[in-house]
């Protein structure tokens, strides 16, 4: 099998890149180690910046988002028993959009299926080869049989634990990492959001965040020591702790209910540079991890994909003559 671009990973970065390349007439295959159901079932980010929304529209998957997303003109910060609202729209002309990553993934998967673009799920043992030359290849095992794909470029969209960054010679990459001495305990619940605006709380007991996925689904977090386990936190204890950390008006209004997902995320910052190794490019979590505030990981991944897709599209449009893909502008 031969293809122009092999994309490793069907997370938001890989699926969005696949869609942008497909619309530009570039042949790309996505290889994903998990099943489509598993990828869709992951509960992750849900706040989109304006640039991400524009990119999704350019990728042809903006219609449901525009119709269903909650538009937020700003955010709040609670501290000292009061709340400060910051009207980002008035200050910058831009808003934030609440639309779950699950929905973006579904829209991108549906668009890919409608276009007949190839995604190979449950590809085991994916390995990347020859990216320092002009003929890279990707190998994997599917249904017990070894497979190989020749390509012109490899996009490593395979997340922090993926195979692509791990394949780069250690002498060619620098990494910077910081692990924070606490984690975020997060719950998802089918209860109305604590407030209409997303707000962050600074409190001596620790940080808290009241966010949402829809008008009927809350996403809230409290900072906890890394030694805590999810089993230590009943839903009642979580709501009680959240009430203590936010402003009294909001605390009085909280509607509590059972969690439908509860987990503790350790917080880490990680950056790898460069993001290009010959014909292998890293994008999204494969190249950098940030603490989950404001869905920055998802929005950064979209930004990476913008530049990478522009670079590849320019390269193919110029008849592959300029030698190296490079993006022309930001977004
Ligand atoms: N082979 C094939 N696929 C792999 C491999 C591998 N060796 N390793 C990982 N993958 C797949 C994962 O199963 C996952 O589906 O790559 C995908 C990577 O997806 P994400 O981890 O979601 O990374 P990315 O697409 O960069 O996500 C961007 O969105 O919400 C966020 O937390 C997410 O910050 C991240 C952002």
């Amino acid at each position: 099998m031969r293809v122009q671009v092999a994309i490793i990973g069907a997370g938001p970065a890989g699926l969005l890149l696949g869609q942008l390349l497909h619309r530009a007439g570039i042949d790309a295959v996505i290889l994903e180690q998990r099943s489509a159901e598993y990828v869709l079932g992951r509960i992750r980010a849900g706040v989109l910046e304006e640039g991400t929304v524009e990119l999704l529209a350019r990728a042809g998957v903006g219609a449901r988002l525009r119709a269903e997303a909650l538009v937020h003109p700003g955010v709040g910060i609670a501290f000292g028993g009061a709340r400060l609202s910051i009207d980002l729209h008035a200050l910058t002309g831009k808003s934030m959009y609440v639309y779950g990553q699950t929905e973006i993934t579904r829209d991108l998967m549906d668009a890919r299926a409608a276009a007949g673009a190839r995604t190979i799920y449950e590809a085991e043992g994916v390995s990347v080869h020859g990216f320092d030359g002009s003929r890279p290849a990707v190998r994997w095992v599917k249904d017990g049989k070894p497979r190989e794909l020749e390509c012109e470029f490899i996009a490593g969209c395979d997340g922090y634990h993926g195979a692509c960054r791990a394949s780069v010679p250690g002498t060619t990459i620098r990494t910077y990492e910081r692990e924070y001495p606490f984690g975020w305990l997060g719950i998802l619940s089918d209860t109305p959001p604590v407030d209409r605006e997303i707000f962050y709380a600074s409190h001596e007991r620790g940080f808290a965040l009241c966010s949402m996925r829809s008008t009927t689904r809350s996403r809230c977090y409290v900072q906890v020591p890394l030694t805590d386990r999810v089993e230590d936190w009943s839903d009642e204890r979580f709501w009680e702790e959240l009430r203590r950390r936010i402003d009294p008006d909001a605390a009085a209004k909280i509607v509590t209910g059972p969690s439908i997902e509860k987990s503790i995320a350790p917080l880490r910052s990680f950056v790898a540079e460069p993001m290009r190794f010959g014909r292998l490019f890293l994008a999204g979590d494969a190249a950098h991890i940030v603490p989950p505030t404001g869905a920055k990981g998802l929005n950064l991944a979209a930004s990476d994909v913008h530049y990478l897709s522009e670079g590849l599209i320019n390269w193919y449009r110029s008849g592959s003559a300029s030698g190296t893909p490079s993006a022309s502008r930001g977004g």
Side-chain angles (χ1 to χ4, degrees), residues 9 11-13 32-34 42 44 101 126 157-159 162 284-285 297 301:
E32 164 61 50
Q33 66 180 1
R34 303 285 194 166
R42 284 191 296 226
R44 293 260 188 96
Q101 182 171 321
V126 171
C157 301
D158 49 353
D285 276 17

Side-chain angles (χ1 to χ4, degrees), residues 8-15 31-34 38-39 42 44-46 101 123-126 157-164 283-286 288-290 295-299 301-302:
I8 317 300
L15 285 169
L31 288 150
E32 164 61 50
Q33 66 180 1
R34 303 285 194 166
Y38 181 94
V39 171
R42 284 191 296 226
R44 293 260 188 96
Q101 182 171 321
E124 296 167 41
V126 171
C157 301
D158 49 353
Y160 179 73
H161 298 288
C164 291
D285 276 17
H288 41 69
I289 296 274
V290 288
K296 204 65 204 167
L298 175 60
N299 289 287

Side-chain angles (χ1 to χ4, degrees), residues 131-147:
F131 50 84
D132 50 349
S134 58
R135 292 255 168 145
V138 181
R139 297 191 192 119
W140 71 99
V141 174
K142 174 84 181 168
D143 301 328
K145 294 198 188 95
R147 319 272 170 150

